[in-house]
Amino acid sequence: MGLGIAQIAAQAGIKVLLFDAKLGEAERKLQSLAKTLKVLAEKGKFTQESINSTLSNLLVVNELSQISKAELVIEAIIEDLSIKQQLFANLEAIVSPEAILATNTSSLSVTAIASKCQYPQRVAGYHFFNPVPLMKVVEVISGLSTKPSVIDTLINLAKRMGHLGVTAKDTPGFIVNHAGRAYGTEALKILGENIADFMQIDTILTQGVGFRMGPFELMDLTGLDVSHPVMESIYNQYYQEPRYRPHPLTRQMLNGNKLGRKVGEGFYRYEEGRKVLPYTPSLDEPKRDPTSVWVGADIDEDKERIINYLIENNIPIDKSSHPNSDSLVLLAIYGEDTTDAALRYEVNARQVVAIDPLLDFQKHCNLMPSIVTDKEFTQQALSVFSKETSNNRDKDISTSVTIISESPGFVAQRVLSMIINLACDMAAQHIATPKDIDNAVKIGLGYPYGPIEWGDKLGPQRILLILERLLVSTGDPRYRPSSWLYRRAKHGISLFTQQRTF
């Protein structure tokens, strides 16, 4: 991390002094960087002139005292509070009182790090992401004593280095590690409830929603020795706030050394670094076209989409006020299970299959029969959404379908509503602005949209409906809606809307 920060600073024309407590390590890292840049130059990514300029701005020093004239010091050492505190105390005896001291910590309190300093007002967080040259965002964190001018300087410096600086309060996880809690923890909750297996969940969230990696594939890549302690840390730092509750499974896997890709086994198995997909039995039974389909939906727009799909694919529609006894009943619902929906719509649960209307079901369809749905109707629903459809280029494609067990809310609904709700709660706490939350998450986590933007795209009222029904159904306070989401959904306004100041 330190070398990556040094690299982007040097590329911006800034003179950088490199120090490592391990003698000779800084020099070895610099030589490694020179080799990397040479390879990139051969690929046309850099000119030899730019490489020479970058390397000329980097100078290794062997004694910490040699950095006395530095205007900014960025530490990127081990995540240990006492060691960082001692380093910052040592730095104060070397640099001028005007020099800024920045920590690249990802999990420790900036205020706590600064607490042993004589001038805590010049200490700030400057949290980059790995690999630094490619992840073009940096969290700029203000401790309780940090001067605003220090934050302004670091924001401007980030821009000069080609990065976006986003400001955050000194809270557990800052922006990215805080906002990222919902993705994995809710997926684990769904897995623990035996609603779907880990591969089905990954499939729904990648093919159906658009995440680059599913939560379980991502945890395998990161390693549970890294991700599980972060889950526990943020949960405990927030005094067991239910929204951040970890799952016992990852602790058990950590204890069993099933860490992920690095050891060859986590949720998936890996051979020579490549993921090995588990065996999944094919649906050998023939699909059966329905006699007709009766459609019910919580939102008229969703009903219209399904009916248009049925018409385009020449599937008969039951237009009666109450479904015929031989009709497949499709219910497009939010935040509840198929049984409750069947009762609410006053239809025979044996005919019902629920469909997640959050997804573009012409790309990926998530279906949920009730516990008593006749097999015949489940097969009919599978037939309806496994048909070849036409995309924008008039090329025939086959929709993928995932069938899950009954759950209060579908996989995508639960995960997305938790991501959006958590970001709204962060905005309500003024941890960061909605815009900074979105930018940090899109760049830092690679989500298709920022969570606030995503909430607006899906509709705040939809997200609120999902959470309110989940809360009633489960009684779990993890699903309580954020006041930020609640008020904006009720007023029908954007989630970016901030409170007026008077």
Side-chain angles (χ1 to χ4, degrees):
M1 288 290 283
L3 189 64
I5 299 167
Q7 177 186 335
I8 63 170
Q11 286 174 339
I14 300 167
K15 295 292 183 182
V16 183
L17 304 176
L18 296 171
F19 174 79
D20 195 293
K22 185 177 179 181
L23 189 62
E25 184 64 19
E27 185 62 46
R28 282 190 290 272
K29 291 293 185 184
L30 184 55
Q31 290 173 1
S32 174
L33 174 61
K35 290 178 183 178
T36 300
L37 293 176
K38 182 180 179 181
V39 171
L40 292 173
E42 290 170 354
K43 295 180 179 180
K45 303 289 186 181
F46 288 95
T47 64
Q48 190 58 49
E49 183 182 2
S50 66
I51 291 176
N52 293 340
S53 175
T54 297
L55 294 176
S56 69
N57 286 325
L58 294 166
L59 177 65
V60 171
V61 296
N62 294 320
E63 298 291 338
L64 201 55
S65 59
Q66 293 176 270
I67 70 165
S68 60
K69 293 183 180 180
E71 297 170 272
L72 165 66
V73 181
I74 304 173
E75 68 80 10
I77 65 171
I78 188 172
E79 286 288 89
D80 183 290
L81 178 59
S82 61
I83 294 176
K84 287 185 188 287
Q85 287 175 331
Q86 184 60 56
L87 173 61
F88 274 60
N90 292 344
L91 289 171
E92 281 204 308
I94 296 170
V95 299
S96 74
E98 291 77 30
I100 295 173
L101 303 182
T103 171
N104 186 49
T105 183
S106 61
S107 61
L108 300 176
S109 165
V110 174
T111 302
I113 292 170
S115 65
K116 303 297 184 182
C117 290
Q118 185 179 356
Y119 303 109
Q121 63 270 22
R122 56 146 163 209
V123 178
Y126 214 31
H127 178 219
F128 290 82
F129 296 85
N130 217 5
V132 176
L134 301 180
M135 302 291 284
K136 294 184 177 296
V137 67
V138 54
E139 295 174 324
V140 186
I141 303 106
S142 178
L144 292 180
S145 300
T146 308
K147 289 192 302 185
S149 61
V150 169
I151 301 300
D152 292 341
T153 298
L154 293 176
I155 289 288
N156 290 332
L157 176 61
K159 184 177 181 181
R160 181 178 171 184
M161 294 188 297
H163 277 45
L164 174 67
V166 290
T167 57
K169 274 186 179 179
D170 185 17
T171 52
F174 310 135
I175 300 175
V176 174
N177 283 330
H178 186 166
R181 290 309 91 216
Y183 190 47
T185 53
E186 190 60 23
L188 282 162
K189 186 80 165 60
I190 294 167
L191 179 66
E193 293 171 9
N194 202 32
I195 304 305
D197 63 40
F198 64 86
M199 193 165 69
Q200 288 177 315
I201 296 170
D202 276 358
T203 298
I204 292 167
L205 293 172
T206 52
Q207 294 184 19
V209 178
F211 287 99
R212 292 179 186 174
M213 299 181 73
F216 300 102
E217 187 178 13
L218 180 60
M219 282 186 272
D220 273 1
L221 178 65
T222 305
L224 286 180
D225 54 334
V226 174
S227 56
H228 182 81
V230 173
M231 293 181 202
E232 287 189 341
S233 173
I234 289 181
Y235 178 61
N236 290 320
Q237 285 183 78
Y238 274 105
Y239 297 99
Q240 291 77 51
E241 160 60 52
R243 287 194 181 107
Y244 312 118
R245 188 188 306 127
H247 196 276
L249 175 60
T250 47
R251 167 52 66 182
Q252 185 180 38
M253 292 175 67
L254 179 59
N255 292 340
N257 200 42
K258 295 184 183 294
L259 308 180
R261 190 184 295 264
K262 65 180 70 175
V263 297
E265 185 176 11
F267 292 98
Y268 296 89
R269 282 195 312 107
Y270 299 86
E271 293 179 0
E272 298 180 353
R274 294 185 178 183
K275 182 173 66 175
V276 179
L277 295 179
Y279 169 74
T280 53
S282 60
L283 298 171
D284 294 328
E285 297 186 30
K287 304 185 187 77
R288 302 179 183 179
D289 291 337
T291 304
S292 61
V293 180
W294 189 91
V295 180
D298 291 345
I299 296 175
D300 289 342
E301 177 188 335
D302 297 329
K303 184 173 183 178
E304 185 178 347
R305 274 200 307 134
I306 294 172
I307 288 176
N308 287 340
Y309 172 86
L310 296 174
I311 292 171
E312 289 170 5
N313 289 278
N314 300 312
I315 298 169
I317 300 170
D318 181 351
K319 297 181 180 179
S320 57
S321 59
H322 194 271
N324 295 320
S325 60
D326 60 349
S327 293
L328 165 65
V329 176
L330 280 178
L331 297 182
I333 57 175
Y334 293 95
E336 64 183 346
D337 63 22
T338 315
T339 296
D340 282 341
L343 290 170
R344 185 163 56 84
Y345 279 88
E346 298 181 341
V347 295
N348 186 349
R350 295 187 181 277
Q351 299 173 244
V352 177
V353 175
I355 179 172
D356 186 354
L358 275 192
L359 303 183
D360 180 351
F361 48 78
Q362 297 202 55
K363 294 180 179 177
H364 186 88
C365 182
N366 189 192
L367 299 174
M368 181 168 61
S370 79
I371 193 173
V372 297
T373 299
D374 287 345
K375 195 173 186 179
E376 170 79 19
F377 291 111
T378 301
Q379 291 169 345
Q380 289 180 15
L382 184 62
S383 175
V384 167
F385 292 102
S386 296
K387 289 184 175 296
E388 288 187 345
T389 59
S390 295
N391 65 10
N392 293 333
R393 297 179 182 176
D394 295 323
K395 178 183 176 182
D396 287 338
I397 58 173
S398 183
T399 306
S400 60
V401 181
T402 304
I403 299 177
I404 63 171
S405 300
E406 271 202 274
S407 164
F410 290 82
V411 170
Q413 289 184 14
R414 289 176 60 168
V415 172
L416 284 176
S417 65
M418 290 294 279
I419 288 172
I420 293 163
N421 194 49
L422 182 53
C424 286
D425 206 48
M426 292 171 65
Q429 296 176 50
H430 289 187
I431 289 173
T433 66
K435 183 178 179 181
D436 275 356
I437 292 170
D438 268 16
N439 284 331
V441 168
K442 279 193 290 188
I443 301 172
L445 295 176
Y447 287 3
Y449 306 95
I452 306 292
E453 176 191 11
W454 219 337
D456 274 355
K457 181 179 174 65
L458 298 175
Q461 294 85 355
R462 278 188 174 92
I463 303 305
L464 179 61
L465 178 61
I466 293 167
L467 290 166
E468 287 180 331
R469 285 180 174 170
L470 284 170
L471 182 60
V472 169
S473 176
T474 66
D476 192 334
R478 72 190 281 120
Y479 299 114
R480 69 192 190 282
S482 162
S483 60
W484 184 282
L485 170 67
Y486 178 86
R487 295 190 186 106
R488 285 151 186 79
K490 291 299 183 182
H491 284 293
I493 57 178
S494 168
L495 294 176
F496 284 99
T497 307
Q498 301 201 50
Q499 181 74 43
R500 294 175 182 170
T501 55
F502 299 96

